[in-house]
Amino acid sequence: MGGAAADPRGKRPAGLPAPDAENSRTRRPEDRVEDALADAVVAAVRATGGYGGAVYLRSRDRRSLVLCVMSGVPRSLLKPWWRIPVSGALPMCEAYRSGETQYLSDDRATMLRFPQFTAALPYSFAHAYQPVRVGGETVGVLAVLHSSARRPAREEAVRTGLLRAGQDMEERLTEFARGLPGRTDADAVAYGIEYDDQPVSVRLPTPPAQAVSVGMVEWDLDSDRWSGDDDALALLGVSREEFGGTMASVEQRVSPDDLYELRAARREAEDTGQIRGRHFRVRDESQDDVEAVHYRPVELWGHVVRAQGTARLLVGALVDVAGGVTAAEAAERLPDGLFSLDQDGRVIYANRRCQDLLGCGLEELLGHHPWRVLTWLRDPAYEDRYRAAMLTQEPVSYLVHDPDGVWLGFVLYPGVHGLTGRVFRTSAPAGAEPGRTLPPPAGASAAPPTGLVTAARAGALYHVVQMASVLTESVTVRDVCRAVSEQLLPAFGATEVALYTVRDGRMYLLWEDGYPQHFLDPFEGVPLEAELPGVHALTARLPLFFESPEDLVSAYPRLALDPMSSWAFLPLIASGHPIGSCILGWSAPHRFTTEERSALTALAGLTAQAMERARLYDAESAVARGLQEGLLPHRLPAIERLRTTGRYLPGTKGMDIGGDWYDVIRTGRGVALVIGDVEGHSVGAAAVMGQLRSAVHAFASSGRPPQEVITHTNQLLAELETDVFATCCYIELNPATGRAQAVRAGHPPPLLRRPDGATQTVELAGGVLLGVQPDAEYPVTTLSLEPGSVLALYTDGLVEVPGSDIATGIDTVRRCLADSRTDSVEQLADRLLGAARRAEDRPDDVALLLTAYD
C-alpha cells in the first residue's frame, strides 16, 4: 500500500519525442517557456491598466494548471495557487475549461460565481482571465488584476486589452513550440506547451526616476592633484577647461560649511587607506535662479593605491546622493516610524523611530517578515492586513497592542513593487481591539483608509474550503473518490493516490490513480493486523508521513516500494468509526510542513465524512434501483410482424432513479406501444410510475380504446393525490394493416422513419399532462405505417441537452435515426442512446422504445 509515478495523461502525437532528460539537454537556456512569456505578461498588465498579471499553463499530465509567470503580485500570496486542479471551482479553471474570458469586477461578483475563491482571498479587487490557445488547443490562461476602487477599469477596455495580450502570448508560444527539438508534426504544435516547475517572478517596470550620477576621480594625496572623468566634473559643476586640477579648485566648488568634511576625508584616507561615504555639498549650476547659490549633496568613496614608487593615489567615486541619502535622512527626522517591505512582505528599510517603537534593531528586521520576527505580531490578522493592501492596492490601517501595553497605529501604503508603512503611538478608542480598523487621529480631517480583517491563512484554508465544497456536491462513493483524486494530487503536487475502505476487518481498494499496473494487487483484502503503513495509520488513527524511501524502509523493512520518494498515509475516520485509508505519493522528495500536515489531516477527515455519507447513499440507491428494475418489463412480448426493444438509463444525479417507463401490451385489436414519464427522481416517483404502468396495462388489456385508456389513467393519477404529474404517449397499432391510433398527454412527439430512410417528427394532437385536470380530454390521431418503417418513442431525457432547446435535441435524434441501419433494433437502440450514455452529467433518466414494422 505505497505509491507510484503516473504516466502523462496528455496525448502525444506520433513521431514526437517524450520530454525526457536527453531532449532537455538539447534545449538552449533561452528556450524556456517562462522566458518566452515574461515580456508578454508585463505587456498584458500595462495594456489592461492593471497592477498584476500571471499566466497558467497546463501540467504534463493535463489535470492541473501550473503558475508559470507572475508579475506585480507577491509570490507568497499566490503560493496556494501555484498548482490547481483543472476541475477546480476557480475562475482560471473555468476560463481554461470553457475557453471563454472571465471578468470579475469586485469581491461581490467573485462571491456569486466562485465562493471558494472569495473564502480564501476575501479582498475586493477586479480580475480577468483569458484562455490561451496554440494550434487551436487551449494550453493555459492569462490573468490580470485591477484595483476595484482606486481606478475602476471599464470591462470592455479590459476585455479588449486582454484579448490583444492573449493573441500576443499565443504568437510567442507558437514560435516557442515550433522551436522544440524533435518537432515533426505541424498540427501538433501545442504538444510541448506544458509546465511543471515553480513560477517565475517578473518585475514590472518602475516609474521614471532620476538616475543616480557617478563620476570616477583620482586624488594624489602627496601633491593634492585632482583628476576626474566627465561625470565627476559635471557633478562638481565645472568644465574640463575651467578645472584647475588641484585641491583648491575642488574646494571652490564645495559649500563653505562642508570644507571640513573634505579635509577630514583627506585625513581619513591617510590614516585608514580608504574613504567611506564622506558627505558634502557642491555648487549646483543647473538652477535658473542666478541670485541665489544652490548646492547639491554628493558623497566621496575610495581607497588608496600605490603608484610610481611611494606615491599615494586615492582612486574613488563621486556619487550624487540627492535622492538616496537625503531621503533616508528625511525619514530619520520624522516623529513616526517608517518602514518599507518588498513585494513579498520582507523588511528592506526601517528608520530609527520605527526600530524604537517596535523594540527591534534593523539587522534583526532586514530580510524578514515583521510578523515572523516580532512575536506580538504573529496573529494571522496582521499578516492578512499586508495581504489586503497588496491585493487591493488600497491603503490599510489597523491597531496593535504591544507587549508593554502601548497602542500602536499602523498605516500601510501599497504599490506594485512593495509597501511603505507608518507606525505611531496612539490612544486606544473605546472598545478598541487589536487588528481592528484604525480610527481617525485627533484633528484629522478624514479617517485613514480602512482594510479587511480575517483570522485565517489563505494557504491551508483554500485547500480545506475547496475540498469541502467539492465533497458537498459528491453523491456516490465513486464521486467522492474522483473528487479526492482530482483535488489532492494537483493541490499538493502528489503523483499517486489510493483510497482503501474497511469491510469485514479487511482493506479493499476503492480507487487508485498513478500506480503501476497490478502494483496494488498484493494488498487487496489484507487484514487489519497486517504490518503495513496504510493499515497502521487507520488502526492507530494517526497520519504517517515519510519524506524519503530510507525513512519508509526503516519503519517497514519488508514493504515493497514503488518508485516514489515521499509518502503520506492518512486515516479516514468518520464519527469515531474507521472508514479506510488515503495514501498519497510524491515522485520527487517532499518536505511536509506543519501547515501542510495539518491541512492533509483535515482533508482526510472531510473525505471520511463524505465517504460515509456516500456509502449510505449507495446502499439506498441500490435498493431504489432494484425497485425500479422490478417495475419495468423484464421481457417484451413477441408480436408477429413487429420487432421491439426498450432501453432505460438512470440519471447521474440525485437517487439515480426516476419515473420513466415503457411497455408493449397486447390488446383485443392489436398491440399498444406505451412510454411515459413521472416527474421527479425518487422512490416515490418510481412507485407512482409502477401504479400508472399497471393501470395502463389493465385498461389496455381490457380492450378499451386509446382515448379511454389515457382518460381513465389521468383520472386515477388525480385521485391518488400524489402532487406529481406525468406525461404519456400511447399508440395502438394493428400489425396486420399498419393502421394506428395515437394519444399524447404532454409527451414529446414520436419519430417515424419510413422505408426510404426519410425520418420525421410525428405531429400528434395532444392534451395536458396526466394528473393536472381530472376531466381533461385527449384527442386521437390516426397513423399509417408502411412495412419497413421504424417508430421511436422516447422520454425527454434523451433529447434535452443543457444549454440547448428541446427542438434541437429532437432533431439530433431524428438525424441519427435517419442515418442508422435498421436491420437490428437492438443495435439501433444502442446507437440512439450512445450520446446520452457518454454524458457524465446526465440530470434526467432516459427511456426509449423502438418498434420496427415488417
Side-chain angles (χ1 to χ4, degrees), residues 495-579:
T495 308
E496 63 184 18
V497 61
L499 288 164
Y500 280 84
T501 186
V502 176
R503 190 170 64 249
D504 299 328
R506 293 181 177 273
M507 302 283 283
Y508 295 95
L509 182 66
L510 286 174
W511 181 280
E512 65 86 12
D513 191 359
Y515 282 86
Q517 190 174 12
H518 304 303
F519 177 82
L520 296 176
D521 291 353
F523 305 106
E524 186 68 6
V526 297
L528 295 184
E529 296 78 24
E531 292 292 323
L532 295 171
V535 174
H536 285 174
L538 178 62
T539 55
R541 303 192 176 193
L542 291 174
L544 301 177
F545 300 94
F546 300 94
E547 296 182 344
S548 69
E550 292 76 17
D551 291 345
L552 185 56
V553 170
S554 176
Y556 298 92
R558 298 181 180 179
L559 181 65
L561 295 184
D562 54 8
M564 293 291 102
S565 298
S566 302
W567 296 264
F569 298 86
L570 309 173
L572 303 180
I573 309 293
S575 302
H577 301 291
I579 301 299

Side-chain angles (χ1 to χ4, degrees), residues 32-39 68-69 176 195 197-198 200 202:
R32 297 175 62 89
V33 66
E34 56 266 43
D35 295 340
L37 296 178
D39 291 341
C68 178
V69 179
F176 168 82
Y195 197 71
D197 209 339
Q198 292 194 6
V200 173
V202 180

Side-chain angles (χ1 to χ4, degrees), residues 16-68:
L16 292 182
D20 53 17
E22 181 178 355
N23 259 339
S24 64
R25 286 196 297 270
T26 66
R27 301 287 301 277
R28 298 171 299 171
E30 61 270 23
D31 286 340
R32 297 175 62 89
V33 66
E34 56 266 43
D35 295 340
L37 296 178
D39 291 341
V41 173
V42 173
V45 175
R46 302 181 73 174
T48 57
Y51 66 78
V55 61
Y56 282 87
L57 295 180
R58 61 190 183 184
S59 62
R60 186 168 295 119
D61 60 15
R62 303 298 193 264
R63 61 187 173 197
S64 303
L65 292 179
V66 183
L67 184 59
C68 178

Side-chain angles (χ1 to χ4, degrees), residues 579-727:
I579 301 299
S581 294
C582 174
I583 304 169
L584 296 170
W586 283 258
S587 58
H590 187 80
R591 300 279 300 184
F592 296 98
T593 64
T594 301
E595 182 183 44
E596 190 172 70
R597 291 174 186 241
S598 299
L600 285 170
T601 303
L603 291 171
L606 290 174
T607 301
Q609 295 289 343
M611 190 78 71
E612 181 70 0
R613 184 184 68 247
R615 284 167 56 173
L616 178 61
Y617 172 86
D618 282 350
E620 295 176 347
S621 183
V623 174
R625 285 194 298 270
L627 170 64
Q628 187 175 39
E629 290 173 1
L631 294 174
L632 289 173
H634 295 280
R635 184 171 54 253
L636 298 178
I639 308 295
E640 187 178 358
R641 300 193 64 181
L642 295 183
R643 290 178 289 124
T644 61
T645 189
R647 293 290 188 274
Y648 175 79
L649 283 180
T652 59
K653 291 186 175 182
M655 285 293 293
D656 285 349
I657 183 172
D660 290 16
W661 93 92
Y662 58 86
D663 208 347
V664 176
I665 309 166
R666 295 180 184 273
T667 69
R669 293 174 299 276
V671 59
L673 309 173
V674 191
I675 197 161
D677 183 1
V678 178
E679 68 170 351
H681 302 85
S682 64
V683 175
V688 172
M689 176 268 283
Q691 292 175 295
L692 290 185
R693 177 174 174 255
S694 298
V696 171
H697 200 287
F699 294 143
S701 300
S702 67
R704 295 177 183 271
Q707 185 179 32
E708 290 187 18
V709 171
I710 298 302
T711 299
H712 288 311
T713 303
N714 175 52
Q715 293 171 350
L716 173 65
L717 182 56
E719 292 171 359
L720 290 176
E721 297 182 351
T722 59
D723 293 329
V724 298
F725 307 117
T727 66

Side-chain angles (χ1 to χ4, degrees), residues 153 164 214 221 524 674 730 828 846:
R164 287 198 297 265
V214 179
L221 299 178
E524 186 68 6
V674 191
Y730 182 99
L828 178 58
V846 176

